[in-house]
């Protein structure tokens, strides 16, 4: 279990900034999201929104929302694929990602490349489960990869973007990802968040390190 940390004034500042930026962005995000939802449904024939359990602040589980990027039965497909390809199973073990993921739909490749699959997480931010900037939300079996830094992870809300995304993203190792989160949590300022947000935009447009 994670320790319960006392609320600090900078948490209020960060929360106000999250809400303000999300509300300003909603008039642009809503029509884009509706268009993407229609494309996803036409491509996959499945519900455009995908829900998954992640670990949030305080170690509490929450439901994350994403645009669907995978085919139906993706979990079973991954299990069989990794069983037949030991070298890819090792890649998955190290990073929880695959550069050539067989589960992705045609629209899913596009959404992943430009990080548009994360757009529904604005809802998570407005609900107070996530922040615009912070460590990416992890699943249960990733806790051990954080080791002694898992307590730090639990001190903050997971983020839509973060220092890891602006520093190589999937081109980095998992230990580097943890190191970026460790630095961010211990050196947070409003200016650091604004710098990360500004840097995220061109990276998302270029699709750097995303798959």
């Amino acid at each position: 279990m994670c320790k319960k940390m006392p609320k600090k004034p900078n948490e209020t500042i960060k929360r106000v900034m999250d809400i303000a930026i999300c509300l300003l962005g909603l008039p642009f995000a809503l029509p884009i999201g509706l268009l993407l939802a229609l494309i996803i449904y036409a491509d996959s024939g499945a519900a455009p929104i995908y829900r998954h359990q992640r670990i949030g602040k305080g170690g509490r589980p929450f439901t994350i929302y994403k645009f669907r990027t995978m085919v139906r039965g993706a979990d079973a497909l991954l299990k069989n694929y990794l069983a037949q390809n030991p070298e890819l199973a090792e890649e998955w073990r190290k990073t929880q990602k695959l550069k050539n993921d067989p589960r992705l739909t045609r629209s899913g490749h596009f959404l992943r490349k430009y990080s548009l699959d994360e757009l529904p997480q604005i809802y998570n931010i407005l609900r107070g489960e996530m922040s615009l900037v912070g460590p990416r939300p992890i699943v249960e079996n990733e806790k051990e990869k954080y080791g002694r830094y898992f307590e730090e992870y639990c001190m903050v809300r997971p983020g839509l973007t973060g220092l890891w995304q602006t520093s190589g993203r999937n081109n980095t190792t998992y230990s580097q990802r943890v190191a970026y989160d460790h630095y961010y949590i211990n050196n947070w300022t409003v200016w650091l968040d604004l710098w990360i947000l500004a840097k995220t935009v061109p990276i998302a447009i270029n699709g750097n390190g995303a798959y």
Side-chain angles (χ1 to χ4, degrees):
M1 293 296 291
C2 296
K3 297 176 182 177
K4 187 174 182 179
M5 304 301 295
K7 191 171 183 179
K8 300 177 181 179
N10 58 19
E11 289 187 53
T12 302
I13 296 171
K14 187 171 173 63
R15 181 69 183 140
V16 169
M17 188 167 70
D18 284 342
I19 295 173
I21 294 176
C22 284
L23 291 179
L24 286 171
L26 274 181
F28 305 97
L30 286 175
I32 293 172
L34 179 59
L35 176 61
L36 291 175
L38 292 173
I39 293 172
I40 293 165
Y41 183 75
D43 182 31
S44 66
I49 300 295
Y50 175 75
R51 299 167 178 82
H52 199 262
Q53 286 291 109
R54 300 294 172 94
I55 298 174
K57 185 179 179 181
R60 294 182 294 272
F62 74 100
T63 301
I64 197 172
Y65 296 88
K66 303 181 71 172
F67 277 130
R68 180 179 297 277
T69 59
M70 298 184 184
V71 298
R72 292 178 177 178
D75 291 340
L77 177 61
L78 176 65
K79 184 177 179 180
N80 292 334
Y81 191 68
L82 296 183
Q84 296 170 12
N85 299 273
E87 70 284 0
L88 297 179
E90 180 64 14
E91 178 186 348
W92 177 262
R93 186 189 67 79
K94 289 180 178 179
T95 65
Q96 300 293 300
K97 299 279 186 180
L98 292 175
K99 287 186 177 180
N100 298 301
D101 198 323
R103 300 172 295 170
L104 292 183
T105 60
R106 289 173 298 176
S107 60
H109 281 284
F110 175 81
L111 292 168
R112 288 279 188 93
K113 181 174 178 60
Y114 299 105
S115 301
L116 291 169
D117 57 317
E118 316 289 359
L119 196 60
Q121 287 159 40
I122 291 176
Y123 179 62
N124 288 114
I125 295 171
L126 292 174
R127 282 170 57 93
E129 297 162 333
M130 290 179 61
S131 177
L132 281 168
V133 183
R136 280 300 293 164
I138 63 174
V139 297
E140 186 68 26
N141 65 7
E142 290 179 278
K143 287 166 59 174
E144 62 183 35
K145 294 181 180 294
Y146 272 77
R148 62 191 178 95
Y149 295 118
F150 179 63
E151 290 287 348
E152 287 185 348
Y153 169 89
C154 293
M155 291 167 58
V156 299
R157 290 184 179 91
L160 180 64
T161 186
L163 197 56
W164 170 60
Q165 285 91 330
T166 59
S167 304
R169 200 173 180 180
N170 293 326
N171 292 328
T172 63
T173 64
Y174 207 103
S175 60
Q176 288 174 313
R177 169 179 170 173
V178 174
Y180 287 129
D181 289 345
H182 169 68
Y183 178 88
Y184 172 80
I185 293 167
N186 288 279
N187 295 276
W188 178 86
T189 65
V190 170
W191 305 115
L192 179 58
D193 271 9
L194 292 175
W195 179 80
I196 290 172
L197 287 170
K199 196 174 179 184
T200 296
V201 175
I203 289 175
I205 292 173
N206 292 330
N208 293 338
Y211 52 81

